């Protein structure tokens, strides 16, 4: 009998499979988010490839999962992928997990999955917690289009460049951030993206889960007054650039600045208008407008 397209399937059916990699999401804080399907699979596979076996050992102990584990992290993924591929080709069932959340999302596993797919071997996602999706689902920002950028660069100059390249993006922007860099990143967001609404999702699914909303400057102010707000794990959501910026691709920035100079608009106002229409930093437009004005004599 053929299955209806929407038919549900019980995970128990999966233990009869062979030669497969399950990409299994695990909790990002609240252990009750572990799905029964994930548990069944982790208990029944031949081996679990984990980003950090000691870290995941605690999860395994909590759920009394006794499946053997091996390490697969950024530094050994190439060589491990070969071994895992040949084990799966021989019929083994293997699960891939990361320290928390969905593997491959700012976590290792992409090379392994790509190699298995090119070898025509089966890869089965077992969906579940993911900080990016949890944050978006609770933030109340536009989610019809979003651009996930993972972690911003660690160095401020590279981070500013990365942010400037995103200044005209009209889709919601989403970043992961660590407590060590959250204030520096917020400061760079304020400097490069201008006045935008942000939502900071902190410690999702954990005891101190917090959603803070406001401009980057306002969020920095809150953190200055309550340093606890700068602790823990963060997803940073930034509303997209105003829609006019999309059409601004056809506006020649030099022509726009020149037209405003012709109309005797002040340099400060020119910088404000250019930032709003073209994105980027106000200072950058201020300097460029000043140069043009000086060149006119
Ligand atoms: N694969 C994971 C996922 O599916 O979300 C992400 C792994 S990435 C190495 C870790 C980053 O995810 C953290 O630095 C933080 O930005 C974000 N993150 C993970 N857990 C979180 C949580 N409970 N609350 C907020 N952000 C979290």
């Amino acid at each position: 009998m053929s299955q209806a397209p929407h038919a549900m399937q019980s995970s128990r059916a999966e233990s009869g499979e062979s030669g497969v990699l399950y990409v299994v999401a695990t909790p990002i804080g609240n252990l009750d988010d572990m799905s029964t399907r994930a548990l069944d699979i982790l208990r029944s596979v031949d081996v679990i490839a984990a980003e950090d076996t000691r870290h995941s050992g605690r999860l395994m102990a909590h759920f009394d999962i006794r499946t053997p584990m091996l390490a697969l992290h950024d530094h050994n993924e190439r060589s491990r992928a070969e071994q895992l591929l040949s084990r799966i080709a021989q019929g083994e069932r293997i699960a891939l997990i990361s320290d928390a959340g969905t593997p491959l999302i700012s976590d290792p596993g992409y090379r392994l999955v790509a190699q298995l797919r090119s070898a025509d071997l089966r890869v089965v996602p077992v969906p579940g917690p993911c900080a990016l999706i949890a944050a978006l689902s609770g933030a109340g920002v536009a989610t019809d289009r979003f651009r996930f950028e993972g972690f911003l660069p660690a160095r401020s100059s590279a981070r500013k460049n990365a942010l400037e390249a995103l200044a005209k993006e009209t889709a919601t922007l989403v970043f992961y951030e660590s407590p060590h860099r959250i204030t520096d990143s917020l400061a760079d967001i304020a400097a490069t993206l201008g006045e935008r609404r942000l939502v900071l999702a902190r410690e999702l699914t954990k005891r101190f889960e917090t959603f803070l909303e406001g401009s980057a400057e306002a969020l920095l102010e809150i953190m200055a007054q309550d340093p606890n707000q700068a602790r823990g794990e963060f997803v940073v959501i930034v509303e997209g650039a105003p829609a006019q910026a999309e059409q601004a691709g056809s506006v020649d920035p030099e022509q726009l600045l020149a037209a405003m100079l012709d109309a005797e608009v002040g340099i400060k106002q020119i910088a404000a208008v250019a930032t709003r229409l073209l994105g980027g930093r106000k200072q950058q437009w201020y300097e460029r407008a000043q140069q043009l004005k000086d060149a006119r004599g």
Side-chain angles (χ1 to χ4, degrees):
M1 198 176 78
S2 70
Q3 275 191 337
H6 58 275
M8 298 292 193
Q9 178 176 315
S10 157
S11 62
R12 309 267 167 204
E14 288 170 296
S15 53
E17 287 186 315
S18 69
V20 54
L21 177 82
Y22 298 102
V23 182
V24 181
T26 58
I28 55 170
N30 187 332
L31 293 177
D32 289 341
D33 288 336
M34 189 79 157
S35 75
T36 49
R37 183 181 178 206
L39 283 174
D40 281 348
I41 285 170
L42 293 179
R43 289 197 175 113
S44 66
V45 288
D46 296 296
V47 67
I48 298 170
E51 189 182 359
D52 177 340
T53 52
R54 259 181 54 190
H55 177 98
S56 294
R58 292 192 281 276
L59 185 75
M60 300 303 132
H62 178 87
F63 289 107
D64 196 24
I65 298 169
R66 294 161 192 209
T67 309
M69 283 198 282
L70 54 77
L72 179 136
H73 41 70
D74 280 334
H75 307 293
N76 72 355
E77 190 173 344
R78 272 174 214 281
S79 57
R80 265 294 190 244
E82 298 285 327
Q83 293 166 17
L84 294 177
L85 190 144
S86 81
R87 289 178 69 162
I88 290 168
Q90 284 163 38
E92 285 198 30
R93 299 168 65 246
I94 295 179
L96 172 70
I97 61 173
S98 61
D99 285 354
T102 303
L104 278 78
I105 307 300
S106 292
D107 267 339
Y110 152 75
R111 287 192 202 95
L112 172 63
V113 170
Q115 284 186 29
L116 292 175
R117 290 229 168 266
S118 30
D120 251 343
L121 291 167
R122 239 165 95 67
V123 178
V124 175
V126 181
C130 178
L132 146 77
I133 300 300
L136 281 173
S137 68
V141 290
T143 52
D144 52 338
R145 290 170 57 241
F146 63 86
R147 179 160 167 180
F148 175 55
E149 284 285 318
F151 289 94
L152 282 163
R155 282 184 40 244
S156 182
S157 55
R159 189 163 55 227
K160 279 191 180 137
N161 287 341
L163 286 164
E164 264 160 20
L166 292 168
K168 286 186 194 161
E169 178 56 78
T170 53
T172 295
L173 300 172
V174 189
F175 306 99
Y176 280 164
E177 198 45 280
S178 75
H180 318 290
R181 286 201 278 268
I182 187 68
T183 52
D184 290 347
S185 285
L186 287 176
D188 287 345
I189 287 172
T192 51
L193 301 185
E195 190 71 17
R196 299 264 184 111
R197 176 176 165 244
L198 270 69
V199 176
L200 213 56
R202 182 174 77 93
E203 293 289 89
L204 290 160
T205 78
K206 302 186 204 177
R207 182 160 168 228
F208 295 111
E209 178 180 278
T210 319
F211 281 83
L212 290 179
E213 187 183 326
S215 66
E217 275 118 344
L219 297 176
L220 281 168
E221 187 56 42
I222 292 172
M223 287 177 181
Q225 283 176 16
D226 176 6
N228 282 332
Q229 296 298 332
R231 299 215 168 102
E233 298 191 279
F234 294 91
V235 180
V236 182
I237 302 179
V238 185
E239 72 175 5
Q244 305 96 294
E246 217 167 28
Q247 294 136 26
S250 57
V251 174
D252 176 357
E254 300 291 313
Q255 273 182 3
L256 181 71
L257 299 184
M260 286 195 279
L261 284 171
D262 290 345
E264 296 185 345
V265 179
I267 299 288
K268 245 173 108 173
Q269 283 85 352
I270 293 181
V273 171
T275 310
R276 185 149 179 83
L277 288 179
L278 305 169
R281 278 186 292 167
K282 207 184 259 180
Q283 183 64 20
Q284 147 203 350
W285 296 119
Y286 187 95
E287 284 163 15
R288 187 68 197 120
Q290 189 64 57
Q291 281 166 2
L292 277 178
K293 188 174 178 194
D294 293 347
R296 289 175 171 211

